[in-house]
Structures are given as structure tokens and as C-alpha cells.
Amino acid sequence: MKRIGILSDTHSCWDDRFAAHFKDCDEIWHAGDVGYIDVIDRLEGVCPVVRAVKGNIDHGVVARRCPELLIFTVEGIKVLLTHIGGYPGRYSRGMKELLRREGIKLYVCGHSHILKVMYDSELDLLHINPGAAGVHGWHKHRTLVKLTIDGDVMRDLEVIELGAASRLPEV
């Protein structure tokens, strides 16, 4: 059994509540638009396994350290983590075929700054966009997601609201 913390679109913002909410996690996944690499470094101080992809604003060290897409298995669940990819019914070009071909059961992306948790019955997968954890962007509320993966079962999904997207200091 693994407890997973999921966030996206920090845009260089660090909030100590990330650590507080993710302290019991076995893994943390960042779905892109990290900003400064310090965000990843600090997440690694919270949890031994941090998986992160680069987003469209990421450059420099983040772009060199984080790929555009990760495919991996946790417990019995095959996961695809990326930044831009759309969602069920509105996948970006080629994403639906990739999800099908790879047998993905959990698809996580960011970019939209909109929290979405949707089941795709055609592909038999769960889609999660954790919304935006940072303060830059058009979103009104900052969110995180936690999820338990137990064998081939995903359960106990929790949406964590951090409040309004008011300015916080950058890392």
C-alpha cells in the first residue's frame, strides 16, 4: 500500500503546508510547472520518492532534471504523469492512443490550474488534475490531492484546499 501526494503548477511557490499534508506519503508526484528547482528539493526533504515532470514554464535545472512524461507502476497500477495532456473527452493530440497502448490506469496531468478527478470508462482509467498549488495563474483556490494505491485498487482520494490563491513568497 502506498499513499501518494499529488500537486502541480507551483510556479516557484513553496507553502509549508505541502510538507504538513504530505508528511505521511510514500511518494509525491509533481505534474509540472515547478518553477525553481528548490520546490523539488524541498519536496524530497518531505518524502523519499518524488516524481516530477517539467511543464511549459520550466527551464534550466528543472528542464534538465525532469522529463516531459513519466510512465511507471506503483503497486498494481500503471501511471502516466505529464503536464499537458487534456482530460477524458478532450485529450491532447496522441494522448488517448498513448494511454490505450500503454494500458494506463491512472493518468495525472496539470497545466489547466483546474482541479479535475474523472473516470474514463472507455479507457478504464482514472484521470487526476490536482489543480494549482501555487499563486500564479487564473485559479481562485489552491489545491493538492492525496490518494492511496493498494495493490490494483485506488482509494481514499482526498482533495486538500489551501485557500485563496493570494500571494505567498517564492522559494
Side-chain angles (χ1 to χ4, degrees), residues 30 32-37 40 44 50-55 58-70:
H30 195 303
D33 279 2
V34 173
Y36 298 140
I37 196 65
I40 300 297
E44 288 172 336
V50 175
R51 301 176 196 258
V53 293
K54 67 181 171 183
D58 293 320
H59 59 279
V61 177
V62 174
R64 287 189 299 275
R65 193 163 146 192
C66 301
E68 288 185 24
L69 183 134
L70 287 171

Side-chain angles (χ1 to χ4, degrees), residues 136-156:
H136 299 287
W138 51 87
H139 56 286
K140 295 188 188 312
H141 299 280
R142 300 169 55 231
T143 53
L144 309 170
V145 170
K146 284 171 62 172
L147 172 74
T148 298
I149 300 176
D150 190 357
D152 62 354
V153 175
M154 294 174 274
R155 60 179 173 85
D156 302 329

Side-chain angles (χ1 to χ4, degrees), residues 6-142:
I6 306 171
L7 74 166
S8 184
D9 296 280
T10 49
H11 292 264
S12 300
C13 171
W14 176 262
D15 185 325
D16 288 336
R17 292 176 293 175
F18 300 166
H21 287 293
F22 291 159
K23 70 180 183 289
D24 64 338
C25 290
D26 300 294
E27 297 191 14
I28 298 172
W29 303 344
H30 195 303
D33 279 2
V34 173
Y36 298 140
I37 196 65
D38 299 23
V39 172
I40 300 297
D41 294 340
R42 291 177 88 168
L43 289 171
E44 288 172 336
V46 173
C47 182
V49 178
V50 175
R51 301 176 196 258
V53 293
K54 67 181 171 183
N56 56 296
I57 66 113
D58 293 320
H59 59 279
V61 177
V62 174
R64 287 189 299 275
R65 193 163 146 192
C66 301
E68 288 185 24
L69 183 134
L70 287 171
I71 295 175
F72 53 94
T73 301
V74 173
E75 296 277 301
I77 302 290
K78 194 163 184 186
V79 180
L80 187 147
L81 175 65
T82 195
H83 183 60
I84 300 174
Y87 54 90
R90 296 191 61 119
Y91 291 115
S92 60
R93 183 181 303 251
M95 183 56 69
K96 185 175 182 179
E97 180 52 38
L98 177 62
L99 294 167
R100 183 186 324 273
R101 184 176 65 245
E102 292 292 330
I104 301 299
K105 293 300 173 191
L106 176 56
Y107 165 54
V108 179
C109 69
H111 185 63
S112 72
H113 292 222
I114 299 168
L115 172 72
K116 278 188 195 271
V117 177
M118 301 173 69
Y119 178 69
D120 183 330
S121 58
E122 181 183 347
L123 297 179
D124 186 31
L125 63 79
L126 181 64
H127 162 71
I128 298 175
N129 182 324
V135 296
H136 299 287
W138 51 87
H139 56 286
K140 295 188 188 312
H141 299 280
R142 300 169 55 231

